[in-house]
Amino acid sequence: MKTIPTLSAIAAAICVLALPLSAEAAPTAAAKAGAPVSATAATLKRYELQTNIVDGKMVFIDAKGQVNPVLAANTGDTLELVLKSGEGAEHDFLIPELHVASSKFSANTGSTTVRFKVTRAGTFTYYCSIPGHRQIGMEGKLEVSGAPLAEAAAPTAAGAGNAASESSQAALALYTPAPSPMRGPDPAAVSVAANPASVPAAIGARAPQTLKYRMETVELPGKLDDGTSFTYWTFNRQVPGPMLRARVGDTVELTLFNARDSKMIHSIDLHAVTGGHGGGQHTQVAPGQEKTVTFKALNPGLYVYHCATPLVPQHIAAGMYGMILVEPEGGLSKVDREYYVMQGEMYTGRPHGAPVHQEPNLEKMANELPDYYVFNGEVGALSKTHKLQAKVGETVRIYFGVGGPNKISSFHIIGEIFDKVYSEGSISSPKHDVQTTLVAPGGATIVELKVQHPGSYLLVDHALSRAGKGAVGVLEVTGEPVPGVYRAGAVQ
């Protein structure tokens, strides 16, 4: 049975259809009253913008291939922007001065469209508000010509002004991004701390081979501290990423896969690699994709690797660093235990220890003002989650690096002396009898010590205020003390 619309419904539909005509008539009425109007007829202008990486920068590109194009309009025009993520990462589009904000879009969501009417002339900045994206190039201009549109006439009926105001606020809410509220720690957060004992087996004396590694970049909520979480960007769900091991002369095939649910592009730059920006040039991987590079290990030593996707320091501070050891011919000398430790710093929106889900703070990062210093990714990683262990008489080797992105470490073990230090990760000329060794951001060192007395030895950055911000670990030594090495009290 067909439904016949009522007369009231038909009348309402006619009123709705008449609204655009009323809107067009409004400027004419205003003009008669002497209000300024646009001299150009209002039109619909449509732009298609796609994101991508060009010359190492993340940008918007129009249908003609123009990078961060200048968009042009006249007052009264309606702009329709079709937005698509060309490389697959998550983005958005904002013009705050005009109360314009798109929804977030990525390869997973497909394109999105934002449509708005331009009401005033001037030059306005558009950009992507995803942290770090504007800083690495996602910014352009909208130039609007013409006179400002007429202001709405004063309300004539009581209460009409409030209704108009509420209507305007509702309209603005469609295009104005809501502020990010402070939220509690993520209940899904897991430990991302890499086990320091997860060191690949020694290679020793063998001929060069072809090695194949596959790594995955994953974004996930992690436990930064007790009661505090953070969204980490990782290699293989851990910080630091897995330690890789090769020998000089080996050919290494490395495949990097970016998890499908990632919101960012990721990559890898290995300091052990000659050419291709250490691999970073050819491993810019969009979510759900993978890329492979092959390189020869030409120089022995301990080398840092890290993500090389803009904003590079942001990716590093979020946990994207690790190390690769290239052994010399014949390998390294045998030791009893080997450990893998890296230091990094983190820049957060809330103070150290706040019981919240911390968000990254790029201004603090640019000003090099960290809230946290961590070993292996989180507070307590090497004192509660994991501990280094040894027995009296054993020789311990620690592969130590600094992901950074900004701060030098003064690596020291309280109550011990390094018998041997391979400064800056160079295996060719070790130092002996070292108390504290400096390690630059993006640098590494290898230290060896023979433990001779039981106890809990603290790993620290000897810029000791950093211990209170998280940079402390424990080496637990058990067994009988070596006579004469140390005792409490006077000589007997």
Side-chain angles (χ1 to χ4, degrees), residues 368-417:
E368 302 186 14
L369 298 172
D371 295 276
Y372 292 84
Y373 290 86
V374 291
F375 290 145
N376 286 25
E378 63 186 44
V379 176
L382 303 184
S383 59
K384 293 184 292 186
T385 309
H386 306 286
K387 291 183 181 179
L388 286 66
Q389 296 180 329
K391 296 179 180 179
V392 171
E394 290 184 333
T395 297
V396 177
R397 176 183 291 145
I398 300 175
Y399 300 103
F400 182 84
V402 176
N406 296 319
K407 298 296 187 178
I408 294 172
S409 175
S410 304
F411 185 52
H412 175 80
I413 298 182
I414 297 175
E416 264 294 352
I417 299 165

Side-chain angles (χ1 to χ4, degrees), residues 59-108:
V59 296
F60 293 102
I61 304 174
D62 67 11
K64 298 179 180 179
Q66 182 67 38
V67 170
N68 293 333
V70 176
L71 310 181
N74 296 305
T75 52
D77 286 349
T78 295
L79 286 188
E80 182 178 273
L81 305 176
V82 180
L83 307 165
K84 180 181 178 182
S85 177
E87 79 298 322
E90 184 178 73
H91 303 285
D92 61 13
F93 180 97
L94 271 71
I95 311 177
E97 294 167 289
L98 300 179
H99 306 291
V100 174
S102 77
S103 59
K104 290 182 170 59
F105 58 95
S106 66
N108 293 329

